[in-house]
Amino acid sequence: MSRFVSRSLPLEGLQLLERKKIADDRGFLSRLFCAEELAASGWHEPIAQISHTYTKQRGTVRGLHFQYPPHAEMKLVSVMRGQLWDVAVDLRQDSPTYLEWHAETLSADNNLALLIPEGFAHGFQAMTEDVEILYCHSAAHNAEAEGGLNPLDSAMDIRWPLAISQMSPRDKNHPVIDNEFTGL
């Protein structure tokens, strides 16, 4: 029995996963990751790193982050508490959807996860207070390979659903897309 229902999204390789719950009077079990089952959705690497983030304030934007090759990574994003608006931007230079973005609402209640392939930038906006996220990464973080795009860049025209309450100085200072940016 598969524990995941996978749905392809408009950007090639981007997948929305619904985790099936097995529930009874005691509560429920929900599988967060299964390499065998997620291979059909495009996950093809072992988990190299698992990260847990906490975002305190509603309206906070984090991102848009990525890793340059050869340290590019896949991410599986799951919300453990609260709700967020999760954004993936296609940075694959030869992709027909290059620089297009797609967003999904993920929450602890809807049991959805976003599988983001290599070659995408990722960011999110907290839609509630006290949001906790669990990320599975296919590659370990490499500080020299860090990249980022400015979440307010008009070239991407991301329509954040809430007024932005907080953003780190680092994210505010990520570059905007110009002729020098060639993608991944």
Side-chain angles (χ1 to χ4, degrees), residues 109-183:
D109 294 331
N110 71 13
N111 221 33
L112 297 175
L114 197 61
L115 191 148
I116 304 169
E118 294 176 3
F120 280 70
H122 172 252
F124 66 85
Q125 184 171 44
M127 302 300 288
T128 61
E129 307 290 318
D130 302 318
V131 177
E132 291 190 61
I133 306 167
L134 191 70
Y135 295 88
C136 295
H137 304 263
S138 66
H141 177 62
N142 183 304
E144 286 83 44
E146 284 181 0
L149 297 176
N150 191 306
L152 302 176
D153 187 344
S154 61
M156 290 180 290
D157 192 30
I158 297 173
R159 295 175 295 280
W160 300 100
L162 301 175
I164 296 173
S165 61
Q166 282 189 329
M167 190 183 316
S168 74
R170 176 180 163 238
D171 289 347
K172 282 181 188 175
N173 292 316
H174 282 313
V176 295
I177 296 167
D178 60 16
N179 292 336
E180 300 293 315
F181 186 75
T182 59

Side-chain angles (χ1 to χ4, degrees), residues 1-180:
M1 172 182 139
S2 178
R3 301 290 177 99
F4 300 93
V5 176
S6 178
R7 183 168 53 104
S8 294
L9 296 170
L11 306 181
E12 185 182 336
L14 190 63
Q15 299 282 316
L16 185 65
L17 302 175
E18 179 182 356
R19 296 185 308 269
K20 293 182 182 178
K21 287 183 178 180
I22 299 173
D24 61 25
D25 294 341
R26 300 167 297 161
F28 71 87
L29 170 100
S30 176
R31 185 158 294 154
L32 294 175
F33 185 89
C34 176
E36 185 177 319
E37 289 186 43
L38 293 177
S41 297
W43 190 277
H44 52 81
E45 301 289 334
I47 293 176
Q49 183 172 292
I50 298 174
S51 301
H52 175 224
T53 65
Y54 169 72
T55 302
K56 188 183 237 181
Q57 188 173 8
R58 179 179 187 261
T60 298
V61 168
R62 291 183 182 234
L64 300 158
H65 305 142
F66 61 91
Q67 294 271 119
Y68 284 100
H71 304 283
E73 62 182 343
M74 295 182 74
K75 289 181 183 177
L76 180 62
V77 181
S78 299
V79 176
M80 302 290 100
R81 184 166 115 183
Q83 179 179 313
L84 62 81
W85 194 68
D86 208 42
V87 178
V89 181
D90 188 349
L91 301 181
R92 300 170 297 181
Q93 186 177 39
D94 297 328
S95 171
T97 57
Y98 177 63
L99 296 181
E100 291 182 23
W101 60 272
H102 182 83
E104 291 287 337
T105 298
L106 307 179
S107 72
D109 294 331
N110 71 13
N111 221 33
L112 297 175
L114 197 61
L115 191 148
I116 304 169
E118 294 176 3
F120 280 70
H122 172 252
F124 66 85
Q125 184 171 44
M127 302 300 288
T128 61
E129 307 290 318
D130 302 318
V131 177
E132 291 190 61
I133 306 167
L134 191 70
Y135 295 88
C136 295
H137 304 263
S138 66
H141 177 62
N142 183 304
E144 286 83 44
E146 284 181 0
L149 297 176
N150 191 306
L152 302 176
D153 187 344
S154 61
M156 290 180 290
D157 192 30
I158 297 173
R159 295 175 295 280
W160 300 100
L162 301 175
I164 296 173
S165 61
Q166 282 189 329
M167 190 183 316
S168 74
R170 176 180 163 238
D171 289 347
K172 282 181 188 175
N173 292 316
H174 282 313
V176 295
I177 296 167
D178 60 16
N179 292 336
E180 300 293 315

